[in-house]
Amino acid sequence: MTTKALFRDDFYLATAEGTVTAIHPDGAIELDQTCFYATSGGQPGDTGFLERADGSRIQLGQTRHGETKDIILHVPLEEQPRPEVGETLVLHVDWARRYKLMRMHTACHLLSVVCEYPITGAAVGEEESRVDFDMSETIDKDEITARLMTLVTENHPVFTRWITDDELLANPGIVKSKNVRPPVGLGRVSLICIGKDSSVDSQPCGGTHVSETQEVGAIHIAKIEKKGKENRRFRIRFGVPEQSA
Ligand SMILES: [Zn+2]
């Protein structure tokens, strides 16, 4: 059975109800629908807890995909109670953590606007994110920070536009990732658009994002590392740069 991914239509959905459809041999819980994001595209899966009818909790250590991308598995921490198939649970995402991931993930998109090179890898984290670019130039990190913060304070809208797989394949230019496959295969692809009429950016992405750039808040480039001759790793952190803090 597939899991209805409620977060796709509402990135801000922190709680929802779901019914257990299967318990996997390793204890992973499959539900008919969920607001828990499963690890993919460089964004870690959600943590949080599932609340049973008697108010007791099943604490989750991670959320990941099953055999296919349309199955989402909720993985309990050790020694948690095991629900029954057919049981309805109230799902509570650790919202403080997820919101940080949404802010960071959106910041990674802004970095790809400021730094116009092909992306070779990315990992979103609660405290720090990294984006790798195929580039050999040396760039001043404070200048990149200043340009990022301009996009943040200009407060551009961030929204999703759905296109078909065929539309995406007909317009390969909109994909910035060099060796990360765009999320095709489900018939439709979400384009994350920034700015009125996508004037700032649009990029296929299956992750969760904030709805306006101001929500990203203060961020800065903490470090730019040289990873090989033609690869630069940018590390994004929250807050203002240390020397001006
Ligand atoms: Zn994204």
Side-chain angles (χ1 to χ4, degrees):
M1 210 178 149
T2 60
T3 315
K4 190 177 180 203
L6 301 171
F7 55 83
R8 292 218 185 289
D9 296 315
D10 183 0
F11 296 149
Y12 290 82
L13 192 66
T15 62
E17 259 188 18
T19 300
V20 180
T21 54
I23 306 284
H24 289 242
D26 66 350
I29 301 162
E30 204 176 317
L31 302 164
D32 61 340
Q33 59 175 22
T34 190
C35 51
F36 277 69
Y37 181 79
T39 302
S40 61
Q43 182 180 329
D46 286 328
T47 57
F49 65 91
L50 309 178
E51 184 187 348
R52 307 182 82 181
D54 65 2
S56 65
R57 297 175 173 193
I58 301 166
Q59 297 287 345
L60 300 178
Q62 64 151 312
T63 308
R64 60 175 170 82
H65 284 291
E67 275 176 34
T68 55
K69 274 249 176 183
D70 49 12
I71 294 174
I72 295 173
L73 300 178
H74 307 76
V75 185
L77 293 172
E78 278 182 31
E79 293 174 27
Q80 295 296 304
R82 184 181 275 239
E84 304 289 329
V85 171
E87 190 174 331
T88 296
L89 303 164
V90 182
L91 328 174
H92 299 263
V93 169
D94 178 343
W95 183 251
R97 175 176 177 272
R98 157 77 94 71
Y99 190 55
K100 277 190 192 173
L101 292 171
M102 282 166 52
R103 291 169 58 206
M104 266 297 192
H105 191 140
T106 308
C108 291
H109 284 253
L110 296 180
L111 178 57
S112 78
V113 172
V114 167
C115 193
E116 289 178 277
Y117 296 90
I119 295 169
T120 55
V124 178
E126 297 162 63
E127 305 302 332
E128 184 183 274
S129 298
R130 63 168 175 82
V131 183
D132 294 343
F133 292 95
D134 180 355
M135 61 183 282
S136 50
E137 290 79 356
T138 300
I139 286 191
D140 179 47
K141 67 178 164 59
D142 296 331
E143 191 190 315
I144 297 289
T145 293
R147 291 173 62 194
L148 280 173
M149 285 313 298
T150 299
L151 288 172
V152 169
T153 51
E154 282 171 352
N155 201 22
H156 299 283
V158 182
F159 56 96
T160 306
R161 190 164 78 80
W162 290 95
I163 61 169
T164 62
D165 285 3
D166 291 341
E167 261 180 276
L168 179 65
L169 296 170
N171 297 285
I174 57 177
V175 180
K176 286 183 183 174
S177 304
K178 201 181 172 190
N179 47 21
V180 182
R181 242 173 78 83
V184 293
L186 297 172
R188 61 175 197 162
V189 175
S190 54
L191 274 189
I192 299 304
C193 305
I194 303 175
K196 194 172 176 286
D197 304 320
S198 316
S199 56
V200 176
D201 191 40
S202 70
Q203 183 65 203
C205 182
T208 62
H209 312 80
V210 295
S211 63
E212 47 187 31
T213 58
Q214 196 170 267
E215 285 180 63
V216 171
I219 46 162
H220 65 280
I221 300 298
K223 221 179 205 180
I224 301 174
E225 294 161 302
K226 200 172 167 178
K227 292 273 169 190
K229 199 167 161 236
E230 288 178 12
N231 205 37
R232 296 290 180 274
R233 172 165 292 177
F234 287 60
R235 295 189 180 275
I236 310 173
R237 287 194 192 141
F238 286 125
V240 294
E242 266 170 31
Q243 60 268 31
S244 55

